[in-house]
Amino acid sequence: MKTLHTLPLLALFALSLDAQERSGIFGWFDGIKLSHQTLRETSLTFGAGGSGTGSSNPGALVNEVDREYDNGFVRTLDGGNIGGSLTGYWDYSDASQVQGNNLVFDSLQAGAGFAVEQEIDSIPGFELSGNHIFVAKGNRNIGLETGIGFLSKRQTQSGNIDMFSTQDTYDVSALVTAGLMPGPNRSALPVSQGGVDANTTTLVIDDIPANRTGPTQVGGSGTRDFDATLWTLRLGAYIEQALNTKLTLALHGGALLTIADGEFAYNETINGTTFAATTDDTEFLWGGYIGASATCQLTDGLALFAGYQYQSHEDYQIGTTDRQATLDLTESYLLQLGVSLRF
């Protein structure tokens, strides 16, 4: 909703309050404000695409390197591999990966594409705040203020994704010939039920693949969607100085809590395979703010005000293990325009 459209609604809200008995209407508060607010200088980063665990990394072709694949792993034993090159700490995901005397693993790693930061023009919302005056001396007031507000943003990115595909082949002929080749997904089972035993000296393979194909560049495309509501709670102090009967300037500062409630979804086709999922998450983000405002008095109780608020707190990150969206809230500023009512 645009600011010019919301100002009449704010004015009607304030006038309805002004028409009531102002003394004690909100108890402890000496005044309230309702404002349209816009958060600026934020950015959104969609993490690079991929598949599997998101930590897929086949590693260099040297001994004793942990190799993470989209459909399994070959890892180093604690204390080093047997003879410096044999490991029993490995697993695969699907029976089709056993091809004769070979065990095949795949790794799809991100190149360019969605791992690009996007500037966000603005995040709109509203805030309702109240204040209590502790010290009133002449034309200067010092007090405490608190506010609750919300901001809402949805952003979608579509485009091409560049990926790199690597396929590693391990020689498991000794296990196949001896009839010892285990089935897939052993790491999901306890050792007592045939799960992976990293210290086994029987089910061992070379820790370097017998053959590697790639990395080969492959293409893809897809969309990612970020939708979040930021509920803001702030508590701080302020000092205001009346310059004349109409104009008052104020400085503000305090603590800020943002409750980020969001949803992240992706749908991608990479190398002919489609990956899609939706996830939601709620995070509590702590930070602080400082700012300044100017108030123009219209009547004894009713005024218009404009404010600037610099704020900094933790980033909001949402996603799966291999795809993420990060909203950068480290250094942003808030513009406010609204009406205030003094009791």
Side-chain angles (χ1 to χ4, degrees):
M1 188 180 294
K2 295 183 179 179
T3 302
L4 290 179
H5 293 166
T6 59
L7 282 178
L9 297 177
L10 299 180
L12 286 174
F13 171 82
L15 286 172
S16 66
L17 291 176
D18 193 37
Q20 303 178 49
E21 290 292 334
R22 292 197 297 269
S23 59
I25 184 175
F26 282 95
W28 187 77
F29 292 110
D30 294 313
I32 62 170
K33 295 179 179 179
L34 180 63
S35 63
H36 178 278
Q37 58 183 0
T38 305
L39 186 66
R40 296 182 179 272
E41 290 296 322
T42 61
S43 63
L44 181 66
T45 301
F46 287 109
S51 64
T53 64
S55 57
S56 182
N57 183 0
L61 294 177
V62 296
N63 292 115
E64 298 189 339
V65 170
D66 286 340
R67 307 183 193 281
E68 304 295 333
Y69 300 98
D70 295 332
N71 48 10
F73 61 82
V74 179
R75 297 172 183 160
T76 302
L77 298 174
D78 291 340
N81 288 342
I82 301 170
S85 62
L86 296 176
T87 178
Y89 194 14
W90 57 275
D91 193 16
Y92 63 104
S93 300
D94 191 90
S96 63
Q97 293 173 242
V98 180
Q99 301 173 10
N101 291 325
N102 296 317
L103 178 59
V104 180
F105 291 96
D106 299 289
S107 173
L108 195 61
Q109 294 177 284
F114 282 133
V116 178
E117 183 177 85
Q118 305 176 64
E119 293 296 327
I120 297 179
D121 292 335
S122 63
I123 303 179
F126 294 91
E127 185 188 61
L128 177 65
S129 62
N131 68 281
H132 179 76
I133 300 172
F134 283 102
V135 178
K137 188 175 181 180
N139 293 329
R140 181 175 301 167
N141 294 326
I142 300 175
L144 188 70
E145 63 183 0
T146 184
I148 179 171
F150 80 94
L151 301 155
S152 181
K153 184 64 177 181
R154 181 173 184 176
Q155 189 140 330
T156 300
Q157 185 183 22
S158 301
N160 296 323
I161 314 166
D162 291 330
M163 309 294 294
F164 291 90
S165 176
T166 300
Q167 186 174 85
D168 283 351
T169 302
Y170 291 81
D171 182 2
V172 292
S173 56
L175 297 177
V176 173
T177 301
L180 297 175
M181 186 65 190
N185 298 309
R186 291 188 300 142
S187 59
L189 298 173
V191 173
S192 61
Q193 299 179 21
V196 173
D197 182 358
N199 297 313
T200 184
T201 58
T202 303
L203 303 178
V204 295
I205 62 174
D206 287 328
D207 63 2
I208 296 180
N211 183 65
R212 169 169 290 182
T213 303
T216 304
Q217 186 170 0
V218 297
S221 62
T223 61
R224 296 190 181 179
D225 185 74
F226 173 85
D227 189 4
T229 298
L230 308 178
W231 294 95
T232 58
L233 300 171
R234 63 184 180 91
L235 177 66
Y238 72 93
I239 179 171
E240 62 181 8
Q241 178 71 48
L243 302 183
N244 51 48
T245 57
K246 292 292 186 181
L247 184 61
T248 300
L249 301 180
L251 297 176
H252 313 258
L256 178 68
L257 170 63
T258 296
I259 305 171
D261 183 20
E263 182 178 275
F264 172 70
Y266 64 86
N267 190 310
E268 303 166 8
T269 300
I270 302 171
N271 202 25
T273 302
T274 298
F275 304 93
T278 300
T279 184
D280 55 70
D281 189 30
T282 301
E283 296 286 343
F284 291 80
L285 312 173
W286 295 93
Y289 72 94
I290 57 173
S293 65
T295 301
C296 180
Q297 209 67 36
L298 300 179
T299 68
D300 287 343
L302 183 64
L304 296 177
F305 78 94
Y308 169 92
Q309 180 175 297
Y310 171 84
Q311 56 189 49
S312 176
H313 52 42
E314 302 166 280
D315 294 340
Y316 175 51
Q317 189 173 82
I318 181 174
T320 63
T321 55
D322 57 336
R323 295 164 178 83
Q324 294 179 336
T326 302
L327 181 63
D328 184 358
L329 300 169
T330 306
E331 295 184 357
S332 57
Y333 68 88
L334 198 68
L335 299 178
Q336 294 180 311
L337 186 62
V339 294
S340 66
L341 186 65
R342 185 174 60 193
F343 305 141

